[in-house]
Amino acid sequence: MPAELTDEQIHNVLQGIRIPPQPQIMVDLQMEQAMPDPDIEQIAKLIRQDVSLSGMMLKFVNSPFLQHSNQISSIEQAVALLGPTTVINIINGLSIKGEMSDQAIRAMTRFWDTATDIAQVSAHVARAIGAKNPDESYAVGLFHNAGIPLMMERFPDYDDVMMESYARDEPRLIDVENRMLNTNHAVVGYYVAKSWNLPRHLCEVIAEHHNVQQVFAQTGTRAQERKTLLATLKIAEHVCGNFSILGQQEVDHEWQRLEQDVLIHTGLTQYDLEEMAQNFRDMGITVHGGY
């Protein structure tokens, strides 16, 4: 878990990086979610106020990944089908786009496509291994790299730094960023998630998503939950070819270091991953060529 920093330390870490304010729709949805009995109609009403979010929500709920026999044509149906938590996770992810310039969004097309695929695969893997909260795996998959768009806006050469990070077989992928930029996308992503009031334990997992070996060395119930979230994320990143799409590399060095621990923790085999990958491919999710 990242140590609490003083205001001065946070300023130094985020120097020149603007953490976008939490969009009002997220505030409103989180308030409704916090109610003892969230009102599906009210949640749908809030989403309908934004045409773009409504369209994206219907596109998601009708995607091959969810395998519905009937076309979902209304936001109310989508919310009832997915449940308030999943809907709010999706809106959270889409809202990041809304806080960026059009130019930055165009430059990050591959990032957004990959984030959505990783979120869906993370949730599927979580369900397959009987994880308690697959929605949390979805949220981590969607948000874990939320710092990357902000790093790209702040550092003109960040694309090159990211490729260098994926190319090197170092203990942690973020070590190159720390050396060259004095911060990294996991730290920035943690503060984005924290400032947008995501659950604290999810913020911590986002901060630690390139410190997986250290987390896997921990013990206790809380550590087990974090291991599961990180394990489902790392499987999804590898299956979706994050190392190839973002890092533009042919080898997933991070997965090579983590594979044994992740498979032991989840009880999955390489054959299981290959079978899942084929299912994802059939659903229209991009799967890297190794599967």
Side-chain angles (χ1 to χ4, degrees):
M1 179 180 73
E4 289 293 336
L5 303 180
T6 65
D7 289 342
E8 181 179 0
Q9 288 172 318
I10 293 172
H11 173 76
N12 291 335
V13 167
L14 302 178
Q15 190 168 12
I17 300 175
R18 185 185 72 88
I19 299 297
Q22 185 180 35
Q24 186 60 43
I25 189 171
M26 287 179 62
V27 177
D28 295 339
L29 286 171
Q30 287 172 356
M31 289 179 63
E32 184 61 39
Q33 186 185 30
M35 300 293 287
D37 186 18
D39 187 338
I40 289 178
E41 290 186 4
Q42 178 62 18
I43 291 173
K45 180 180 177 181
L46 290 169
I47 296 171
R48 283 200 309 271
Q49 293 173 5
D50 189 307
V51 175
S52 176
L53 289 179
S54 297
M56 291 297 294
M57 178 63 63
L58 290 176
K59 180 180 178 180
F60 176 84
V61 79
N62 285 306
S63 68
F65 179 79
L66 295 179
Q67 297 180 313
H68 299 306
S69 56
N70 298 320
Q71 185 82 1
I72 304 301
S73 58
S74 73
I75 297 301
E76 287 83 358
Q77 286 179 297
V79 176
L81 179 67
L82 297 175
T85 300
T86 297
V87 166
I88 290 170
N89 285 338
I90 295 169
I91 295 298
N92 287 346
L94 294 174
S95 295
I96 301 175
K97 289 186 182 182
E99 293 300 323
M100 296 179 65
S101 65
D102 290 342
Q103 181 179 358
I105 290 174
R106 285 194 296 270
M108 287 300 294
T109 296
R110 72 182 192 278
F111 165 79
W112 294 119
D113 290 345
T114 304
T116 302
D117 285 348
I118 289 173
Q120 293 183 15
V121 172
S122 295
H124 179 92
V125 174
R127 285 192 290 268
I129 65 174
K132 186 167 60 176
N133 293 309
D135 283 342
E136 292 190 349
S137 287
Y138 183 94
V140 169
L142 198 60
F143 268 98
H144 73 291
N145 277 339
I148 288 180
L150 303 181
M151 295 285 280
M152 280 194 154
E153 288 197 302
R154 170 64 179 85
F155 302 106
D157 62 344
Y158 182 70
D159 215 22
D160 294 332
V161 174
M162 187 162 53
M163 283 190 286
E164 178 76 7
S165 299
Y166 277 95
R168 288 180 176 269
D169 185 11
E170 299 204 18
R172 301 182 309 169
L173 190 143
I174 54 177
D175 289 337
V176 173
E177 291 182 52
N178 287 335
R179 279 201 308 273
M180 299 179 70
L181 306 175
N182 295 318
T183 188
N184 65 74
H185 71 274
V187 169
V188 174
Y190 166 80
Y191 285 108
V192 172
K194 185 178 179 183
S195 70
W196 285 17
N197 296 320
L198 266 68
R200 181 180 178 85
H201 67 288
L202 298 187
C203 296
E204 292 169 359
V205 169
I206 289 168
E208 301 287 1
H209 78 269
H210 288 302
N211 289 325
V212 179
Q213 287 172 304
Q214 291 91 323
V215 174
F216 266 72
Q218 299 170 5
T219 58
T221 302
R222 188 176 180 186
Q224 288 298 108
E225 293 173 353
R226 293 168 69 193
K227 289 177 189 178
T228 296
L229 288 170
L230 288 169
T232 56
L233 172 65
K234 291 304 161 182
I235 289 173
E237 282 190 323
H238 180 63
V239 169
C240 292
N242 210 40
F243 64 96
S244 175
I245 296 171
L246 293 185
Q248 300 185 36
Q249 303 300 313
E250 296 183 359
V251 178
D252 191 346
H253 295 297
E254 185 177 50
W255 176 251
Q256 290 180 339
R257 292 191 298 272
L258 303 174
E259 180 179 7
Q260 185 175 5
D261 287 341
V262 168
L263 293 182
I264 289 174
H265 179 77
T266 58
L268 297 173
T269 65
Q270 188 64 34
Y271 174 79
D272 293 327
L273 298 191
E274 292 171 1
E275 190 173 35
M276 285 182 181
Q278 184 56 54
N279 291 335
F280 298 143
R281 190 177 286 110
D282 293 341
M283 296 172 189
I285 294 175
T286 302
V287 175
H288 87 78
Y291 284 103

